[in-house]
Amino acid sequence: NIALHVASVSKGGSDPGSFLVPAPTNSCDGATVAAGDHCTVDVSFNPGATGGASASLILTAAPGPSPQTAPLSRGGPAAAPCPRSCRG
């Protein structure tokens, strides 16, 4: 059993700005993860972005094949409309 050192967590692909990886919810960046343990990366949609988008979450780690990528996607034409109560 070998520990995994996660050197970096980043975004790439065609629309990386459409996704957020807030630092307080990313316990993997720079972490050493023991065998059988885990770390967490929360990804959310950028509330200012609209329309469909795709990108990749990229983890660079050692030992092992690196980088590892996970696809990110968002569908839909736009953000939800403002309910009547928020329109002055």
Side-chain angles (χ1 to χ4, degrees):
N1 296 331
I2 299 173
L4 178 73
H5 177 72
V6 181
S8 67
V9 176
S10 60
K11 301 173 292 180
S14 57
D15 303 307
S18 293
F19 301 90
L20 303 173
V21 181
T25 62
N26 175 4
S27 66
C28 295
D29 201 2
T32 298
V33 184
D37 205 354
H38 69 278
C39 62
T40 302
V41 177
D42 289 334
V43 178
S44 60
F45 302 129
N46 183 343
T50 60
S54 62
S56 297
L57 183 67
I58 304 166
L59 278 80
T60 304
S66 187
Q68 295 289 317
T69 62
L72 304 173
S73 65
R74 178 185 74 202
C82 177
R84 177 176 278 177
S85 62
C86 78
R87 294 182 211 147

